[in-house]
Amino acid sequence: MSTIMALSLVLLAVMVLVGGHKGALAFLSLWLNFGCLFLAIILVSVHFSPIMVTLILGILMLALTIFVGQDDLMTTQTAFFAAVLVLLILLVLIVPVEHWAAVQGFGMEDSDELEGMSLLVGINFVKVSIATAVLSTLGAIAEAAMAIAAGLSELIQQHPSIDTHALFKAGMHVGQQIIGTTFNTLFFGFFGGFLGLFIWFADLNYSWGELLNNKVLDAELILVLFSLISVILTVPMTTWVMTKRLQMMRKKPR
Amino acid sequence: MGQFFRRWWRVALLLVGGLLLVGGTRYAAPLYRQPILQVTASKVTTVTKTKDEFNNRDRQYTQYLTGRVLNGKHRGQTLQVKNSYSASGAFDQRYRVGDQLFISRSHKTILIKGLKRDTVLVALLWLAVCLLVLLLHRAGLMALLSVALNLILFFLAIELDLALRSVGFLYLFGGLALLFALLTLWLILGPTKQMVITFAATVSGTVLSMGLSALVLALTHHNGIYYETMAYVTQVAPQPLFMAATLLGSLGAVMDESTDIVATLFELKSDKPAISALELFQAGRQVGTAIMGPLINVLLLIFIAETFPIALLLLKNGNSWGYTFSMTMSLGMAQSLISGIGIVLAIPVVSFLASRLLVTKAGAVK
């Protein structure tokens, strides 16, 4: 049996043991997300526009992460709308920055890996770098939006007559509570992967100037910074969507 | 009034200071030892249509750049450089007027080493810091502080590893993971009982999942895990490097989750002091179940999305889906699964520890 298969079975087993039926659904959502990511790469390889592919599959992946296995509609719908809005803002920010930074494709440090391959494949790698940046941050956006929306809908249940100003303050307060740990999830998630790269840089005595302008490192750091920015933006956005929703629900005559 | 003024003074300092820093990088050429050229004119001369053996069509351009040297002993000199780039730009790029480029000169040949990217990096960092401090105030600053301190620890550990020539590599980074967890949780929670429980749960959840995964890897003989595809391997063997990367990668997510669960259980306990250990345990399990899926997804997307460019290149070079997966994503997938196991196992561990410790205290009161 292949190791990936065995590890998947172990994960499925522990997820079902701990979470029961919901655990199984969460496992399914994980693989569906992976399927979407792989599909995105295949669609881009047959010359679909990377940005359109990212937008459509990105929204689908947000829906998969947020809706599968969760049943509180107040939380999930709010989180989903907020996450899609953050995704759109992020795209507007990422497109010019990736063009400006020109960190697309590969750097000198990747030369070994590229040996013998044709690089003239007719796909714009700047657009691929935009797709990469958006896709890698989707999980963090979904997670933060869920946390804020869940906190706020619990608050609304406990205090049904809360005014929107207080709700907004509460949302920012939940954001302040989660931001520290969320940053650490992202920091460790990315820096675990950087370990090899950093040992390489240290080993070959790169100077600070070289590091600061290195294509491979800058590509990675830009991914981290975009993830951080998108998580920060998710906090007020989710809170705002929740207040709008509450206002609309109150206006509606029963 | 005074407080209001002080607050705005700080915001203004952050905004103006950052803007000056970002703008300043455009004039930072004298700080660099490598010669820097600012492009003043560009002319694209030839276009060649290309077609490779896999029928991929592309275009290659030759570009003549004129520029002014910004630093060093040839400062002010005007130079001409040739650049060739492709429409796809996987390993090259087009330069524009205003771009600052690192060059190297030997005798009469001038080579472009790469774009000066410090301005965009500093600008993005500034944007992130501004948003963080303006929207989340003190909590934002603390989050930033913990990331900065962890970064320093990370660099120190790498220097130490090089000094030790990577002997005991896994022990070093295992120890580093412990330090990371201790420092981060202390910064977030302070020296409280909550912090001790979260720390214990993080460590035991991670140790359990690493042990279990090492067992699975050994039993399946690492079948389908291509360590040789690991990028940027120098002096450390790929396999320990993979384990260390996985350990660090899952640590943050496990801490995130344990913090959430412990915080909820503490709140529950103070709301309902008579709650039983079993009820607390079940509540912890419920909170954990709701957040484990999204958390594993965060890591999966981080680990796999990064392989987009190389996977695309392999596909366009006539490789099958299966081969492309094995060569680019099998390591990231294994990493996600191992981290996932850790994230899930931490739930019963943290719920058990918290429920026992919280209820014993109540028992003593009775």
Side-chain angles (χ1 to χ4, degrees):
Chain A
M1 187 164 35
S2 90
T3 304
I4 301 258
M5 185 80 94
L7 286 172
S8 305
L9 286 178
V10 173
L11 181 62
L12 175 64
V14 291
M15 281 181 111
V16 170
L17 270 177
V18 170
H21 156 78
K22 279 190 180 173
L25 281 175
F27 182 78
L28 183 71
S29 129
L30 199 64
W31 277 100
L32 288 174
N33 259 313
F34 173 75
C36 283
L37 203 54
F38 202 75
L39 181 66
I41 297 175
I42 287 169
L43 287 177
V44 171
S45 81
V46 295
H47 297 272
F48 278 92
S49 151
I51 297 184
M52 283 318 284
V53 167
T54 306
L55 199 57
I56 293 167
L57 286 175
I59 292 175
L60 184 64
M61 283 156 82
L62 285 177
L64 281 172
T65 313
I66 292 172
F67 288 112
V68 174
Q70 315 279 349
D71 32 41
D72 177 19
L73 277 184
M74 186 81 176
T75 303
T76 51
Q77 285 178 350
T78 307
F80 179 67
F81 282 127
V84 171
L85 286 175
V86 172
L87 170 65
L88 294 176
I89 294 177
L90 196 62
L91 206 56
V92 171
L93 197 63
I94 286 179
V95 171
V97 170
E98 290 284 353
H99 276 98
W100 182 18
V103 288
Q104 77 277 5
F106 310 95
M108 296 307 290
E109 292 79 7
D110 298 307
S111 306
D112 283 354
E113 217 178 344
L114 302 175
E115 218 175 86
M117 275 203 268
S118 160
L119 289 168
L120 300 172
V121 295
I123 291 171
N124 186 340
F125 271 81
V126 175
K127 289 188 178 149
V128 173
S129 72
I130 293 166
T132 309
V134 173
L135 291 171
S136 66
T137 182
L138 285 179
I141 297 177
E143 205 246 333
M146 285 289 282
I148 307 277
L152 289 182
S153 65
E154 205 187 291
L155 190 72
I156 292 172
Q157 265 174 10
Q158 282 170 3
H159 309 275
S161 59
I162 188 167
D163 72 284
T164 47
H165 185 70
L167 190 69
F168 201 87
K169 267 191 126 165
M172 299 308 279
H173 185 69
V174 179
Q176 289 174 348
Q177 282 178 336
I178 63 161
I179 201 74
T181 50
T182 306
F183 263 37
N184 277 299
T185 304
L186 293 173
F187 171 84
F188 287 110
F190 279 109
F191 277 75
F194 292 178
L195 188 53
L197 190 60
F198 277 135
I199 293 176
W200 173 300
F201 288 145
D203 206 9
L204 300 181
N205 285 317
Y206 279 52
S207 70
W208 283 100
E210 282 171 311
L211 282 179
L212 191 60
N213 295 284
N214 181 279
K215 188 178 181 183
V216 176
L217 181 67
D218 286 354
E220 303 273 1
L221 290 180
I222 286 173
L223 286 187
V224 181
L225 287 171
F226 273 127
S227 296
L228 299 185
I229 290 172
S230 60
V231 168
I232 304 169
L233 287 177
T234 305
V235 176
M237 186 58 85
T238 313
T239 315
W240 182 74
V241 171
M242 193 59 115
T243 52
K244 284 286 145 201
R245 210 184 140 112
L246 201 66
Q247 280 172 350
M248 264 156 62
M249 274 163 66
R250 282 177 183 165
K251 264 187 202 155
K252 227 185 276 171
R254 296 205 176 161
Chain B
M1 187 62 200
Q3 201 183 1
F4 178 80
F5 184 75
R6 231 179 9 243
R7 172 113 195 263
W8 279 106
W9 188 78
R10 272 189 213 162
V11 170
L13 186 73
L14 185 66
L15 292 178
V16 176
L19 208 59
L20 283 177
L21 195 64
V22 173
T25 59
R26 288 286 295 173
Y27 303 95
L31 297 178
Y32 285 96
R33 227 172 292 144
Q34 261 186 313
I36 294 170
L37 188 76
Q38 178 156 341
V39 180
T40 51
S42 134
K43 199 171 144 209
V44 178
T45 51
T46 53
V47 185
T48 333
K49 288 189 174 174
T50 64
K51 191 171 143 188
D52 65 14
E53 55 191 304
F54 308 102
N55 264 326
N56 295 313
R57 287 157 203 278
D58 213 323
R59 277 192 298 270
Q60 268 202 303
Y61 302 86
T62 308
Q63 182 182 29
Y64 284 91
L65 301 166
T66 313
R68 205 177 68 246
V69 180
L70 297 178
N71 58 350
K73 58 178 178 211
H74 298 287
R75 184 172 176 170
Q77 204 176 23
T78 303
L79 292 177
Q80 302 250 320
V81 206
K82 196 174 93 172
N83 175 41
S84 54
Y85 66 92
S86 59
S88 49
F91 205 66
D92 46 39
Q93 70 168 106
R94 176 183 179 171
Y95 295 109
R96 289 164 208 282
V97 173
D99 280 352
Q100 297 183 343
L101 320 174
F102 287 102
I103 53 173
S104 73
R105 310 177 63 168
S106 52
H107 303 295
K108 290 210 164 158
T109 51
I110 301 166
L111 280 174
I112 300 176
K113 303 283 275 187
L115 187 65
K116 185 164 162 288
R117 296 186 169 87
D118 50 3
T119 308
V120 56
L121 207 67
V122 173
L124 209 54
L125 187 67
W126 173 61
L127 177 65
V129 171
C130 281
L131 283 173
L132 194 64
V133 175
L134 294 183
L135 289 173
L136 300 166
H137 313 301
R138 211 185 119 76
L141 272 178
M142 287 307 275
L144 205 63
L145 180 68
S146 94
V147 166
L149 286 178
N150 280 331
L151 203 60
I152 292 170
L153 265 185
F154 191 70
F155 284 128
L156 287 180
I158 286 173
E159 287 298 327
L160 188 61
D161 172 63
L162 284 177
L164 293 172
R165 299 184 177 278
S166 292
V167 174
F169 178 76
L170 265 182
Y171 294 106
L172 176 64
F173 282 90
L176 179 69
L178 277 178
L179 258 178
F180 271 156
L182 207 59
L183 178 72
T184 308
L185 292 174
W186 184 68
L187 276 176
I188 295 173
L189 301 170
T192 53
K193 194 171 170 186
Q194 209 167 334
M195 181 240 156
V196 177
I197 298 175
T198 315
F199 178 71
T202 303
V203 173
S204 26
T206 310
V207 168
L208 269 176
S209 94
M210 293 306 285
L212 193 60
S213 308
L215 188 70
V216 173
L217 284 167
L219 283 177
T220 53
H221 306 290
H222 308 265
N223 183 7
I225 306 282
Y226 297 90
Y227 294 108
E228 66 274 21
T229 62
M230 196 143 186
Y232 319 122
V233 175
T234 44
Q235 50 165 304
V236 189
Q239 198 178 326
L241 187 59
F242 169 80
M243 289 312 268
T246 309
L247 173 68
L248 292 180
S250 69
L251 192 69
V254 175
M255 275 196 283
D256 189 344
E257 173 195 57
S258 306
T259 315
D260 276 5
I261 296 177
V262 172
T264 312
L265 296 188
F266 266 74
E267 228 169 89
L268 256 180
K269 177 73 188 168
S270 68
D271 271 3
K272 280 193 247 171
I275 197 164
S276 77
L278 186 67
E279 278 173 308
L280 272 179
F281 180 78
Q282 292 297 0
R285 231 180 75 170
Q286 217 169 10
V287 176
T289 305
I291 53 179
M292 69 183 179
L295 260 182
I296 304 175
N297 256 317
V298 174
L299 292 185
L300 176 86
L301 292 181
I302 289 177
F303 294 156
I304 307 284
E306 276 187 290
T307 64
F308 202 136
I310 186 75
L312 190 64
L313 203 62
L314 277 167
L315 285 173
K316 294 305 282 180
N317 275 264
N319 295 295
S320 70
W321 295 3
Y323 180 80
T324 302
F325 173 83
S326 301
M327 288 300 123
T328 58
M329 294 173 203
S330 67
L331 285 174
M333 201 67 214
Q335 243 173 331
S336 311
L337 292 168
I338 297 173
S339 309
I341 295 170
I343 289 169
V344 179
L345 286 179
I347 298 171
V349 175
V350 70
S351 307
F352 179 79
L353 284 179
S355 63
R356 288 300 128 160
L357 284 169
L358 280 171
V359 171
T360 342
K361 201 175 75 183
V365 174
K366 266 181 209 168

